[in-house]
Amino acid sequence: MLPIHIMGQAYEVPEGLTILKALEWSGFRLTRGVGCRGGFCGACGTVYRLQGDYRLRYALACQTVVEAGMILGQIPFFPAQRPAYRLDALEASENILVDTFPEILRCFGCNTCTKACPQEIDVLGYMAQAVRGDLPALADASFDCIMCGLCVARCPAELVPPNVALLGRRLYGRYVAPPAGHLRRRVEEIAAGAFRQEVARLKALSREDLKAQYEAREIEA
Ligand code: SF4
Ligand code: SF4
Ligand code: FES
């Protein structure tokens, strides 16, 4: 058993659990701060210290194994500014991100965001690319962002890096990246009704047959 603290209270939890499971094992019924349990949804951002260590550490609770001496706090939600925009009314211009998020010019390069990112993303780096209007570099650098908001919680300039990056990736996908020929072809096939018969067959299956077919599906390598 490992001694840990959750929200200031001492607990003992079995070795080998993730932080998420340790919370549940300790009696917390999670209705917020949990989602996919697979490291993709960004809902389970966690902050902790290790006893005797001054450093604040950041993690996804579903992906991090609990350690003795962890002093844990969950950050289920952090309020963040999100401007409304219509993608089809925007242009992938050099100034588009600064025009939409003028506050990003306040970034003073402290790198606190990068240190907080559980995905090990160079957040400061992509914020600099956002200011420069380098959409391809920004889209690439921020690709693994799961919108957990931990960098938002820590930014002393009160910026919201994930929302800036999200618009950057949307603009890149819509206006800059080369069109995906295979996707266009598949959309045309769907519109032409190529799968209508197959969909009708699946819809007519019983729940059990549908489950069996799902289990037996071929999974791409
Ligand atoms: S960039 Fe920010 S919101 Fe995205 S994963 Fe990293 S810490 Fe979370
Ligand atoms: S924490 Fe905020 S101010 Fe500091 S580098 Fe990151 S975005 Fe810029
Ligand atoms: S629960 Fe979705 S990332 Fe942890």
Side-chain angles (χ1 to χ4, degrees):
M1 300 294 279
L2 303 176
I4 60 170
H5 278 78
I6 303 171
M7 305 290 186
Q9 179 83 34
Y11 292 87
E12 292 215 327
V13 297
E15 201 173 349
L17 297 184
T18 61
I19 293 173
L20 202 65
K21 286 184 178 157
L23 290 170
E24 289 172 326
W25 198 90
S26 305
F28 288 84
R29 186 168 163 263
L30 304 176
T31 54
R32 288 281 188 276
V34 61
C36 66
R37 294 175 181 264
F40 294 109
C41 75
C44 64
T46 297
V47 176
Y48 65 95
R49 280 198 158 96
L50 294 174
Q51 223 130 28
D53 186 347
Y54 72 92
R55 277 183 57 199
L56 264 182
R57 296 162 193 260
Y58 308 87
L60 296 176
C62 70
Q63 297 299 297
T64 309
V65 174
V66 79
E67 286 177 53
M70 272 183 169
I71 306 166
L72 289 159
Q74 286 291 100
I75 300 194
F77 172 75
F78 203 84
Q81 194 82 342
R82 193 176 61 159
Y85 50 77
R86 283 187 59 93
L87 203 55
D88 54 9
L90 297 180
E91 281 177 19
S93 67
E94 231 174 55
N95 293 329
I96 188 67
L97 293 174
V98 171
D99 288 346
T100 313
F101 299 90
E103 70 276 12
I104 62 177
L105 294 175
R106 291 208 314 264
C107 173
F108 57 95
C110 66
N111 209 29
T112 311
C113 48
T114 303
K115 290 184 194 158
C117 181
Q119 295 288 86
E120 298 181 358
I121 294 171
D122 177 8
V123 188
L124 163 60
Y126 82 55
M127 287 298 274
Q129 287 150 357
V131 171
R132 283 203 304 274
D134 187 344
L135 295 179
L138 166 64
D140 189 49
S142 69
F143 188 77
D144 286 333
C145 174
I146 54 171
M147 313 292 290
C148 69
L150 285 170
C151 58
V152 184
R154 294 293 287 144
C155 176
E158 296 162 305
L159 305 179
V160 185
N163 287 353
V164 178
L166 183 62
L167 176 57
R169 289 196 302 279
R170 285 174 169 162
L171 288 164
Y172 175 74
R174 181 170 177 125
Y175 296 114
V176 185
H182 60 296
L183 178 63
R184 183 181 45 76
R185 282 194 295 281
R186 181 49 56 90
V187 171
E188 284 168 3
E189 279 173 17
I190 293 169
F195 300 98
R196 222 166 272 154
Q197 223 176 342
E198 178 65 3
V199 170
R201 186 186 71 77
L202 289 171
K203 283 169 85 174
L205 290 180
S206 69
R207 195 182 177 86
E208 286 64 38
D209 289 345
L210 199 55
K211 268 190 190 168
Q213 188 146 341
Y214 180 76
E215 298 298 338
R217 75 196 183 284
E218 267 181 42
I219 299 174
E220 280 181 44

